[in-house]
Amino acid sequence: MTEKSNTNIVVALQARTNSSRLPGKVLLPIAGLPLVVLAAKRAESPSWSVLTLTSIEQTDNYLCEVLKQYNQNYFRGSLNNVLERYVDSLSGLDDSTIVVRLTADNVFPDSSFINDLVKQFKQKNVGYMCADNKHSLLPYGFSAEVTRLVHLREAFLKANSQYDLEHVTPYIKRLHGIEYYSPPVSYDYSKLNCTVDTLADYLHVAEAFSGITNPITIDGYKLINKIKPNGVGVSKLSLGCAQLGLNYGVANSQGKPSLAKAHDILSAAANFSCSYFDTARAYGDSEQVIGEWLKNNKFNKVKIITKLDTLSSLTPDSSAAKVESAVKNSIEMSLSSLGVNKIDVLMLHRARHLYEFEGLIFSNLLDLKKQSLISELGVSVQSPSELLKVVDNPLISHIQLPFNILDYRWSKAIEAIRAQKLTRKLIIHVRSIFLQGLLLSNDGELWNKAGIKNYNSVINWLAETSQKYGQGTIHKLCLNFVSSQDWVDSLVCGVDDSEQLITTAASLSTKPLTSVSLNQVEAARIDLIRVEALDPSTWKC
């Protein structure tokens, strides 16, 4: 590496090959160039030097050989102490040097973008600035951070947590605050994704660069227009994890999977960018299975939903101390089983727990949220009447409910959901999309257990409807009927193996049903089955 002592701007490109979700991704080709090389070349400018920062681990030896072949400057340092890697790589430069931080899995940032970012950083005379997805309204992956070398050096001397050392800038952000970059475009691109984190992401970005004759020099904002939105349905997919901890589902013939098979399912779900893993204290050892997987997948972006214990040990005359102990014990057990310090979303497994014991259960959860043990709170409901009791609670940001193509009970409740979504954050998760697998079964015995005697008529209607609306299969029809609802944010789907997950993702990647088609399906399904059959708790199992 060659350093210039008079350089006042350095673009540092962070790269490694041991990514847990897509190993070696920085070496995958995009537009004929390795990802890391394309990222470096797009960042180049006569006004600054570009330096790729990688590790001293053997796994990064070949990465360095590739960088040499393309005449790219690089520095090797600590794998886990990334902040030290930054400070050591820039040891010959002045404190006032401006450092722009990029990562090699993001190839959309270009020299014009970097120049504008640095210009705003100088004009505002701040200690730290970033371009991000949420505040700058850029695609996820069209991002960068900028600070001065003096602040990196100070952080290295004073930061004392592994988190700060690994993530480079948290100490600086706490000390100097965060200033956000304002892009020269007014459009909201925040729902687009252009990072490469999974195989699906790589194919998505590779397609965006296809047919471009100038992949190095094309303006980043023009390149944004080449990004295709991810499949509407796929972006809503969440993995239901009840099957990972117990024998679940009336149509489940395979039983609980082995630990290795369960981890394959979790890895496949992460690679398909599932939004959430949905589990619960009541799902056998599902939390422990996920926790074991998380040990080797610490940097995955899937959020974990778990549910409070059913609290069956409590009685109407239980003391406040006993209630508090039961709630706290459930949270501590979840944290321990999952191996995490904070639960992303904690749901009440029973809607009545929101107001039982004069609201003591929920108030204890609010206290634990204040202690940063929980990020967000939610509730799992069983019926429209339960939903209407909780939907207007502003402290609840997630609601999970059972809904499927045959379920005609929810019309009034859906209007209440839509009204709340206009005023606050409210994420709706839908489970039981296949009615515990019943809608995909031709087994008359299973339908009889659900009390549905006219099951042949129901099966025929599902098959005819799938063909009429171009869905091909009942599986695809059921998924896309729910995914196409404008009030649904997350489809909680359990699978028996990774192949089923691939089929589910493929079914959801197609064009959603139109509002006209949805209305026609809803009108045609009336009185197909009696209302009691929509509640699996009433089935004869």
Side-chain angles (χ1 to χ4, degrees):
M1 186 200 83
T2 302
E3 291 183 342
K4 300 177 182 179
S5 60
N6 61 347
T7 299
N8 61 4
I9 301 174
V10 172
V11 175
L13 184 68
Q14 199 172 308
R16 61 187 175 95
T17 58
N18 67 340
S19 168
S20 59
R21 297 185 70 176
L22 187 58
K25 64 182 178 181
V26 296
L27 298 173
L28 293 174
I30 296 283
L33 291 170
L35 203 72
V36 62
V37 174
L38 179 59
K41 286 185 172 293
R42 284 184 54 75
E44 288 177 349
S45 168
S47 301
W48 56 72
S49 60
V50 177
L51 178 64
T52 299
L53 308 185
T54 189
S55 84
I56 57 175
E57 302 297 311
Q58 286 188 343
T59 51
D60 288 324
N61 287 350
Y62 183 66
L63 168 59
C64 294
E65 290 299 317
V66 170
L67 291 169
K68 284 180 185 177
Q69 292 173 21
Y70 286 91
N71 297 314
Q72 294 296 312
N73 288 337
Y74 66 89
F75 177 88
R76 305 187 72 172
S78 171
L79 175 65
N80 296 318
N81 192 337
V82 186
L83 179 54
E84 179 184 61
R85 196 192 311 172
Y86 273 77
V87 170
D88 287 351
S89 70
L90 306 175
S91 60
L93 301 179
D94 187 80
D95 272 352
S96 64
T97 300
I98 293 173
V99 181
V100 179
R101 183 184 181 215
L102 302 176
T103 56
D105 50 4
N106 296 330
V107 292
F108 275 60
D110 65 335
S111 59
S112 295
F113 161 70
I114 295 169
N115 186 67
D116 194 38
L117 176 65
V118 170
K119 181 180 178 181
Q120 289 189 30
F121 176 75
K122 289 179 176 179
Q123 287 175 341
K124 295 191 176 184
N125 193 28
V126 293
Y128 171 90
M129 178 180 282
C130 75
D132 74 344
N133 173 249
K134 182 178 180 180
H135 300 89
S136 302
L137 302 181
L138 293 171
Y140 185 75
F142 200 121
S143 57
E145 296 177 291
V146 58
T147 187
R148 291 191 183 271
L149 181 53
V150 64
H151 302 318
L152 289 168
R153 287 170 172 162
E154 180 184 16
F156 177 61
L157 291 174
K158 295 183 178 180
N160 54 19
S161 74
Q162 181 57 41
Y163 180 84
D164 285 354
L165 299 177
E166 185 176 326
H167 295 277
V168 182
T169 57
Y171 179 89
I172 299 172
K173 288 186 278 188
R174 291 196 299 270
L175 188 65
H176 295 279
I178 305 173
E179 187 72 29
Y180 294 103
Y181 168 71
S182 299
V185 291
S186 58
Y187 190 76
D188 182 354
Y189 293 110
S190 61
K191 294 182 179 180
L192 297 176
N193 174 42
C194 65
T195 194
V196 177
D197 194 42
T198 66
L199 179 59
D201 291 338
Y202 166 66
L203 297 173
H204 185 65
V205 172
E207 184 178 7
F209 274 87
S210 64
I212 292 177
T213 57
N214 55 346
I216 294 172
T217 59
I218 183 173
D219 181 84
Y221 292 108
K222 291 182 179 178
L223 194 56
I224 288 176
N225 295 319
K226 291 273 290 177
I227 305 175
K228 291 183 178 180
N230 289 340
V232 174
V234 174
S235 66
K236 294 182 176 182
L237 183 60
S238 297
L239 180 67
C241 297
Q243 284 98 323
L244 306 187
L246 43 76
N247 294 328
Y248 179 83
V250 67
N252 180 3
S253 60
Q254 298 187 34
K256 176 185 170 183
S258 67
L259 184 62
K261 190 174 182 180
H263 285 182
D264 283 344
I265 293 171
L266 292 167
S267 295
N271 285 333
F272 273 108
S273 300
C274 278
S275 300
Y276 300 90
F277 290 166
D278 178 80
T279 185
R281 290 298 306 148
Y283 292 170
D285 63 351
S286 175
E287 286 184 333
Q288 291 95 316
V289 170
I290 295 171
E292 286 296 318
W293 181 84
L294 286 173
K295 288 179 182 178
N296 296 316
N297 296 271
K298 294 179 181 179
F299 303 106
N300 85 92
K301 296 177 182 176
V302 183
K303 292 185 177 181
I304 307 297
I305 296 174
T306 194
K307 303 178 189 71
L308 190 69
D309 186 83
T310 56
L311 305 180
S312 57
S313 64
L314 297 180
T315 60
D317 60 349
S318 291
S319 66
K322 188 173 182 179
V323 172
E324 181 179 357
S325 176
V327 171
K328 187 175 181 181
N329 182 65
S330 176
I331 300 304
E332 289 177 346
M333 291 292 289
S334 289
L335 290 169
S336 176
S337 297
L338 292 167
V340 297
N341 297 320
K342 178 186 283 189
I343 296 169
D344 295 318
V345 181
L346 188 284
M347 286 188 178
L348 294 170
H349 210 146
R350 301 285 184 264
R352 66 175 187 272
H353 288 162
L354 187 62
Y355 44 83
E356 274 188 338
F357 301 101
E358 298 182 342
L360 187 57
I361 293 172
F362 193 65
S363 67
N364 277 303
L365 290 176
L366 290 174
D367 288 341
L368 294 169
K369 186 174 184 287
K370 289 179 182 177
Q371 297 172 36
S372 295
L373 297 179
I374 301 167
S375 290
E376 297 184 88
L377 291 168
V379 60
S380 175
V381 302
Q382 307 295 326
S383 65
S385 60
E386 283 192 351
L387 183 138
L388 290 172
K389 291 179 181 178
V390 306
V391 70
D392 59 351
N393 187 326
L395 300 175
I396 296 293
S397 55
H398 293 257
I399 294 177
Q400 187 182 110
L401 57 89
F403 178 73
N404 60 72
I405 191 171
L406 297 181
D407 199 337
Y408 48 84
R409 302 172 296 165
W410 295 89
S411 56
K412 290 184 179 179
I414 289 169
E415 291 309 311
I417 288 172
R418 288 192 177 112
Q420 287 296 316
K421 278 178 168 284
L422 292 174
T423 63
R424 65 184 180 91
K425 177 182 179 181
L426 180 60
I427 307 299
I428 301 297
H429 307 264
V430 170
R431 65 179 185 273
S432 202
I433 294 161
F434 304 114
L435 201 53
Q436 291 200 9
L438 184 65
L439 303 186
L440 305 180
S441 175
N442 292 317
D443 188 338
E445 184 177 345
L446 293 180
W447 286 89
N448 283 324
K449 285 182 179 180
I452 302 173
K453 305 300 182 182
N454 65 327
Y455 62 87
N456 281 324
S457 297
V458 176
I459 293 172
N460 288 337
W461 179 82
L462 288 168
E464 291 168 2
T465 302
S466 67
Q467 296 303 315
K468 180 178 179 179
Y469 294 97
Q471 298 301 297
T473 65
I474 294 175
H475 180 271
K476 193 171 183 179
L477 171 69
C478 291
L479 282 169
N480 284 326
F481 176 82
V482 176
S483 176
S484 300
Q485 304 288 333
D486 61 4
W487 53 275
V488 173
D489 300 292
S490 161
L491 283 74
V492 182
C493 299
V495 297
D496 297 327
D497 50 48
S498 55
E499 286 76 17
Q500 277 190 9
L501 186 66
I502 292 170
T503 300
T504 299
S507 294
L508 284 170
S509 65
T510 55
K511 188 176 181 180
L513 292 167
T514 65
S515 58
V516 173
S517 296
L518 290 174
N519 290 335
Q520 290 173 347
V521 171
E522 289 167 359
R525 74 183 176 190
I526 293 176
D527 296 331
L528 268 176
I529 63 175
R530 59 191 183 87
V531 68
E532 293 82 4
L534 294 168
D535 182 0
S537 68
T538 67
W539 296 356
K540 300 175 183 178
C541 296

